Amino acid sequence: MSVLPIYTYGQSVLRKKAKPVRRIDDGLVQLVEDMIDTMLPANGIGLAANQVGVLERVIIVDAAEAEQNPDLKPMVLINPEVIQAEGKWTMEEGCLSIPEIREEIERAEKIRVTFKDLAYNDQEIEAQGLLARVILHEIDHLDGILFIDHISPARQKLLRGRLNKIRKGDVEVIYPIITEAVEAK
Ligand code: NI
């Protein structure tokens, strides 16, 4: 089991677009296992590869948490694409890369998503509510988008001080992180 450090706000990898996965190899399987080992102890409900410094289109979702069903295993979505979205709803969101900040975000209520599974087979699912929200949040990461990009400029201005603290690593979390301070060493 490998817990990977999570890149936090201010790190350029969070602003880059991840590249499609062309084939599944041992490295990719290992990445997925490590991402799961990283997300669960951090109490995250989803994680995108960008957040562990890898620019490949891979996201995982803690389905047990999102669907309130302890029997569900973490979902792995490779090259996920939203092909249909309907409805709108607002809920408070957070992000392991932006600790201690939570904001009300509007997202689609119901989505259809295509993706590849770990055997590189085509899959399609319909998701709604929290599961849809987490998938949309994580796909945003693959495109270099953070949840705070969805709030008003006025609200963003109010968060500036706290975001600067995160950028400098002045934040307390229960999981390993990579910040400007760590990278400068
Ligand atoms: Ni996030």
Side-chain angles (χ1 to χ4, degrees):
M1 145 166 188
S2 299
V3 173
L4 305 170
I6 293 177
Y7 287 70
T8 51
Y9 180 80
Q11 295 298 294
S12 60
V13 72
L14 295 177
R15 289 309 194 180
K16 288 182 181 147
K17 218 172 147 75
K19 292 190 180 67
V21 172
R22 297 292 175 209
R23 56 187 276 265
I24 309 293
D25 57 18
D26 291 350
L28 194 103
V29 173
Q30 186 65 53
L31 170 68
V32 166
E33 284 172 8
D34 290 347
M35 283 173 67
I36 292 170
D37 290 342
T38 301
M39 173 183 73
L40 297 177
N43 289 326
I45 192 166
L47 193 67
N50 300 47
Q51 292 178 277
V52 293
V54 178
L55 287 171
E56 303 213 48
R57 299 189 78 82
V58 178
I59 66 172
I60 59 166
V61 178
D62 185 354
E65 197 61 35
E67 297 273 67
Q68 291 294 299
N69 177 349
D71 297 333
L72 296 177
K73 292 206 167 63
M75 289 170 60
V76 180
L77 287 77
I78 296 164
N79 301 343
E81 256 179 77
V82 178
I83 55 166
Q84 220 176 70
E86 56 185 81
K88 289 273 175 231
W89 71 303
T90 299
M91 186 189 169
E92 209 179 63
E93 279 183 33
C95 177
L96 292 176
S97 292
I98 313 177
E100 294 169 1
I101 291 182
R102 298 190 68 81
E103 290 290 323
E104 298 273 336
I105 306 293
E106 186 184 87
R107 295 204 189 261
E109 206 279 322
K110 198 170 164 188
I111 54 174
R112 286 195 80 79
V113 181
T114 59
F115 62 98
K116 299 272 193 197
D117 62 21
L118 270 175
Y120 213 64
N121 289 323
D122 287 316
Q123 301 286 349
E124 187 173 324
I125 51 160
E126 193 175 272
Q128 48 186 336
L130 184 56
L131 181 62
R133 174 171 296 272
V134 178
I135 291 171
L136 290 169
H137 175 121
E138 303 310 331
I139 292 177
D140 267 0
H141 274 301
L142 300 180
D143 291 321
I145 298 166
L146 300 173
F147 79 97
I148 49 170
D149 299 344
H150 293 288
I151 62 179
S152 69
R155 193 79 208 136
Q156 286 182 8
K157 218 169 168 181
L158 285 174
L159 292 177
R160 208 171 281 165
R162 288 165 71 198
L163 288 170
N164 274 330
K165 277 191 157 190
I166 296 172
R167 189 196 296 270
K168 291 179 189 144
D170 183 7
V171 66
E172 290 222 7
V173 284
I174 56 165
Y175 46 91
I177 55 173
I178 292 188
T179 66
E180 214 165 64
V182 171
E183 244 197 2
K185 276 181 192 156

